[in-house]
């Protein structure tokens, strides 16, 4: 009976020794793999090209498609009606294609009327800020496209802007 108990202890001690050896070997292999991986990747920095998209290409030979409108001079609104302040603004349209120029030509009298009414409804304070000018551009695009019945005008460019 004493022999059976000592055999059980030695077999359980042998299996425990095997588990400890396996765990130590796994730790050594894992540590060695980590050290090798960091040494191989130490000299390389993550490429910025992979992190950032490439910048958009600018074609210097391509000319934007524009349409020159008139220069407009209007009195600005005051507290009690028209004021003595005026606005002089030159406008250029950014359009989608050359074919749209003939369509804009057909609607030019209606566009001029719409632009004059919109400009003369503005006050000096509204146009005195950058936000006011941006808002005016958006309103002009909306009005012109509404007059023509199609989204032909994509952008508005001011070629002159004087408020006095």
């Amino acid at each position: 009976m004493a022999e059976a108990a000592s055999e059980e202890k030695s077999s359980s001690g042998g299996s425990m020794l095997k588990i400890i050896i396996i765990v130590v070997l796994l730790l050594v292999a894992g540590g060695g793999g980590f050290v090798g991986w960091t040494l191989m990747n130490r000299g390389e920095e993550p490429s910025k090209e992979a992190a950032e998209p490439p910048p958009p290409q600018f074609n210097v030979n391509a000319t934007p498609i524009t349409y020159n409108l008139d220069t407009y001079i209007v009195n600005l609104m005051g507290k009690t009606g028209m004021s003595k302040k005026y606005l002089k603004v030159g406008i250029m349209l950014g359009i989608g294609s050359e074919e749209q120029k003939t369509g804009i030509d057909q609607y030019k009298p209606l566009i001029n009327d719409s632009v004059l009414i919109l400009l003369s409804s503005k006050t000096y304070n509204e146009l005195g800020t950058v936000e006011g000018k941006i808002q005016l551009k958006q309103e002009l695009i909306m009005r012109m496209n509404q007059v023509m019945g199609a989204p032909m005008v994509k952008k508005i460019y001011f070629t002159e802007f004087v408020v006095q």
Side-chain angles (χ1 to χ4, degrees):
M1 183 102 123
E3 283 182 25
S6 76
E7 281 182 29
E8 272 185 39
K9 286 183 181 179
S10 67
S11 68
S12 69
S15 65
M16 186 63 123
L17 181 64
K18 287 179 186 178
I19 292 174
I20 292 174
I21 291 173
I22 291 173
V23 169
V24 169
L25 286 175
L26 287 174
L27 287 174
V28 170
F34 176 76
V35 169
W37 179 75
T38 48
L39 288 176
M40 287 176 43
N41 290 332
R42 181 175 40 154
E44 298 177 17
E45 294 181 14
S47 73
K48 292 182 180 179
E49 292 174 10
E52 297 176 13
Q57 297 297 319
F58 182 71
N59 186 355
V60 293
N61 296 326
T63 56
I65 301 171
T66 57
Y67 183 93
N68 246 346
L69 281 182
D70 300 330
T71 298
Y72 301 94
I73 300 173
V74 296
N75 283 26
L76 295 173
M77 288 296 289
K79 292 182 181 180
T80 59
M82 294 308 237
S83 71
K84 293 183 179 181
K85 297 184 189 240
Y86 71 90
L87 167 67
K88 178 181 179 183
V89 63
I91 298 175
M92 185 179 285
L93 307 178
I95 58 176
S97 67
E98 286 288 331
E99 294 81 29
Q100 290 178 340
K101 286 185 178 183
T102 57
I104 294 172
D105 281 336
Q106 293 172 349
Y107 287 99
K108 192 165 182 185
L110 299 172
I111 290 171
N112 284 337
D113 178 62
S114 181
V115 169
L116 286 170
I117 290 172
L118 177 63
L119 293 176
S120 63
S121 72
K122 296 296 178 181
T123 65
Y124 180 79
N125 291 335
E126 288 175 324
L127 300 176
T129 64
V130 174
E131 292 84 14
K133 291 175 182 74
I134 292 170
Q135 177 68 30
L136 177 62
K137 284 183 174 190
Q138 292 169 348
E139 289 175 9
L140 285 167
I141 291 171
M142 186 182 72
R143 287 257 181 118
M144 289 180 198
N145 286 336
Q146 191 175 31
V147 165
M148 292 183 283
M152 291 188 193
V153 179
K154 308 288 186 223
K155 293 189 176 199
I156 296 286
Y157 305 104
F158 293 136
T159 56
E160 294 179 70
F161 202 95
V162 179
V163 181
Q164 273 188 329

